[in-house]
């Protein structure tokens, strides 16, 4: 009887470290994966090639030959910006003036979406945002007149603007200038 009790205890002592390791690896993977994905997106070779740190970048329209994301929509034009608030606020503005769908979405460093505005919400008005860091303390940024102040959950993040186009070649003269109204700049 004593040998059976010792064997059960040996099994328990072997299983507990394995279980603790599995839980730790799972928690770290779930917590770290979004940060790793955003790090590659914001600091990877495509980001460097587009030069999108605190400035808007305008990738080529999506086609079967040109796609850096899995299953991108060929009906959307994308504009992007990696914002960095470590040296102060970032001003974002856009005035697409399109009759069709467009949106601007902001993401924190952990891939959480914290702000979205689209054609319906903007109701024909220009978008004018001032991004400030969450822990700016008592330091008040010089607010650009008319800007909506947004507190970013992280010092770095990602802005994605989407513009709908049914037929890019036909609508190019309208949608290209509209998406290029996006400005993302450090103050």
């Amino acid at each position: 009887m004593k040998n059976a009790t010792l064997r059960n205890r040996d099994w328990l002592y072997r299983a507990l470290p394995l279980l603790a390791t599995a839980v730790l690896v799972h928690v770290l993977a779930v917590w770290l994966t979004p940060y790793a994905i955003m790090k590659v997106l914001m600091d990877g070779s495509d980001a460097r090639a587009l030069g999108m740190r605190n400035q808007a970048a305008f990738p080529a329209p999506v086609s079967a030959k040109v796609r850096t994301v899995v299953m991108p929509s060929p009906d959307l034009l994308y504009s992007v910006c990696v914002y960095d608030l470590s040296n102060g606020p970032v001003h974002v503005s856009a005035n697409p003036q399109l009759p069709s769908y467009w949106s601007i979405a902001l993401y924190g460093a952990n891939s959480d979406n914290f702000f979205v505005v689209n054609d319906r919400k903007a109701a024909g008005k220009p978008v004018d945002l001032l991004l400030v860091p969450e822990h700016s303390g008592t330091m008040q940024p010089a607010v650009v007149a008319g800007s909506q102040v947004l507190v970013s959950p992280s010092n770095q993040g990602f802005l994605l603007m989407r513009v709908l186009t049914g037929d890019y070649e036909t609508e190019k003269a309208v949608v290209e200038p509209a998406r290029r109204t996006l400005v993302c700049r450090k103050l």
Side-chain angles (χ1 to χ4, degrees):
M1 186 70 156
K2 191 173 185 179
N3 283 341
T5 305
L6 288 175
R7 275 189 299 224
N8 285 341
R9 219 180 292 162
D10 284 347
W11 178 86
L12 182 64
Y13 289 139
R14 288 182 188 150
L16 280 177
L18 180 62
L19 181 61
T21 302
V23 168
L24 181 65
V25 167
H26 173 73
V27 168
L28 285 175
V30 167
W31 182 75
L32 285 176
T33 299
Y35 288 97
I37 290 169
M38 291 300 285
K39 182 79 173 155
V40 169
L41 177 69
M42 295 187 303
D43 296 328
S45 59
D46 288 343
R48 285 191 305 275
L50 287 170
M52 59 188 194
R53 174 108 14 216
N54 288 332
Q55 67 180 20
F58 308 97
V62 174
S63 71
K65 295 177 182 175
V66 180
R67 61 182 213 184
T68 56
V69 205
V70 178
M71 304 288 288
S73 174
D75 296 335
L76 292 173
L77 289 176
Y78 299 97
S79 301
V80 293
C81 172
V82 172
Y83 64 85
D84 186 350
L85 306 175
S86 55
N87 292 321
V90 170
H91 184 236
V92 173
S93 62
N95 192 9
Q97 294 296 312
L98 289 171
S100 60
Y101 173 81
W102 61 266
S103 69
I104 295 175
L106 294 167
Y107 300 88
N110 65 349
S111 79
D112 284 352
N113 174 243
F114 68 92
F115 178 81
V116 175
V117 64
N118 61 25
D119 58 307
R120 289 182 181 174
K121 192 173 180 182
K125 295 179 183 159
V127 175
D128 194 350
L129 309 171
L130 185 65
L131 297 174
V132 297
E134 187 173 42
H135 303 293
S136 56
T138 58
M139 180 182 74
Q140 292 295 325
V143 177
V144 177
S147 291
Q148 177 182 355
V149 178
L150 290 178
V151 178
S152 173
S154 56
N155 275 347
Q156 290 187 2
F158 188 73
L159 178 149
L160 178 62
M161 180 178 181
R162 299 173 184 98
V163 173
L164 180 67
T165 176
D167 180 3
Y168 176 72
E169 291 305 320
T170 304
E171 299 172 350
K172 183 178 185 177
V174 174
V175 294
E176 274 298 333
R179 82 169 174 149
R180 290 178 185 275
T181 64
L182 177 66
V183 175
C184 180
R185 64 180 175 84
K186 199 175 101 149
L187 286 183

